[in-house]
Amino acid sequence: MMELRRAQDRGHADHGWLNSWHSFSFADYYDPKHVQFRALRVINDDTVEPGRGFGTHGHRDMEIVSYVLNGALAHKDSMGNGSVIHPGNVQRMSAGTGVQHSEFNPSQTEKVHFLQIWFLPNAAGINPSYEEKYFSDEEKRGRLRLIASPDGADGSVKIHADAKMFAVLLDGNEQVEHPLAQDRYVYVHVARGDVALNDTPLHAGDGAMLAGGERVMLAQGRNAEVMVFELT
């Protein structure tokens, strides 16, 4: 059975410099029915105003993936990493025993729109680490491109969590199907555009949860960018 999580039902926080939508409980938003889905703990859909951002703050024992949709996001951390990521870049930070970092919009004119995704790690107390890779639109066009996985398969970033993360771009007659074993689960998040999941229309910000053995078919996309999470 598919359970829908419509965009307007998510948590919302507007701080002026930051407009954030929470698919799961986060900060001051708490929904006991939507704390996490398997190892998937956070999907924050964030838009940050020009020249603003998150000051230095700490994390521990969490796998954090940032995925930029529009604009640019600058990152600095206590491991000595510093970079600016753009659409196509996937950034992974394993907080482990503890890390400090900051994220901000380096542009003075353009907003940055990105997804911040957290996974619960499969082991606590690991050494903090960082990784960043680029995946072109061509790699995601009309097919599920693996971008994060426990073993770094197919050139994906490596996360220390029982999860795989795919990205796909769909427009027009393109369609993709993802086989799902009985002991696996899927969370689908529409980052932008419109798409049909198993013939059910989804729009930007919508999510859906499916259990093992169910069909996972994405089609009828209109400028759609979709994240698919396979979980144990």
Side-chain angles (χ1 to χ4, degrees), residues 12-27:
H12 183 225
D14 188 346
H15 300 286
W17 64 273
L18 167 67
N19 188 36
S20 186
W21 291 89
H22 311 312
S23 295
F24 302 101
S25 297
F26 187 85

Side-chain angles (χ1 to χ4, degrees), residues 5-8 10 23 45 189-193 203-207:
R5 177 79 161 130
R6 292 297 186 184
Q8 65 271 18
R10 298 175 296 171
S23 295
D45 185 343
H189 176 80
V190 182
R192 58 179 157 200
H203 312 288
D206 286 348

Side-chain angles (χ1 to χ4, degrees), residues 53-114:
F54 305 88
T56 301
H57 58 284
H59 295 284
R60 63 183 303 118
D61 288 329
M62 195 66 68
E63 298 292 301
I64 300 171
V65 174
S66 297
Y67 187 98
V68 176
L69 297 165
N70 292 106
L73 183 69
H75 165 96
K76 290 184 179 179
D77 64 47
S78 56
M79 295 177 283
N81 301 297
S83 67
V84 179
I85 61 173
H86 299 86
N89 290 120
V90 175
Q91 179 192 85
R92 184 270 300 168
M93 187 176 71
S94 298
T97 55
V99 66
Q100 299 280 321
H101 80 136
S102 63
E103 298 164 295
F104 67 96
N105 182 355
S107 173
Q108 296 302 310
T109 57
E110 304 279 340
K111 297 180 181 181
V112 59
H113 180 200
F114 71 103

Side-chain angles (χ1 to χ4, degrees), residues 13 51 58 84 118 121 128 152 179 220:
V84 179
W118 296 9
Q220 302 171 40

Side-chain angles (χ1 to χ4, degrees), residues 163-215:
K164 294 180 181 179
M165 178 179 172
F166 301 84
V168 59
L169 300 173
L170 293 168
D171 201 22
N173 295 324
E174 298 164 329
Q175 65 178 35
V176 295
E177 186 166 5
H178 183 65
L180 188 60
Q182 289 288 344
D183 60 346
R184 307 290 283 182
Y185 297 80
V186 157
Y187 191 95
V188 174
H189 176 80
V190 182
R192 58 179 157 200
D194 305 292
V195 73
L197 171 62
N198 299 346
D199 299 320
T200 297
L202 299 179
H203 312 288
D206 286 348
M209 292 156 274
L210 300 98
E214 294 191 66
R215 180 173 180 250

Side-chain angles (χ1 to χ4, degrees), residues 107-150:
S107 173
Q108 296 302 310
T109 57
E110 304 279 340
K111 297 180 181 181
V112 59
H113 180 200
F114 71 103
L115 300 177
Q116 185 165 110
I117 297 149
W118 296 9
F119 298 95
L120 298 171
N122 50 25
I126 65 173
N127 290 328
S129 62
Y130 176 91
E131 187 179 12
E132 181 184 320
K133 291 192 175 181
Y134 176 77
F135 301 91
S136 68
D137 283 356
E138 290 73 19
E139 294 177 79
K140 296 176 280 190
R141 173 62 59 193
R143 74 183 189 97
L144 288 165
R145 177 60 165 101
L146 183 65
I147 60 174
S149 66

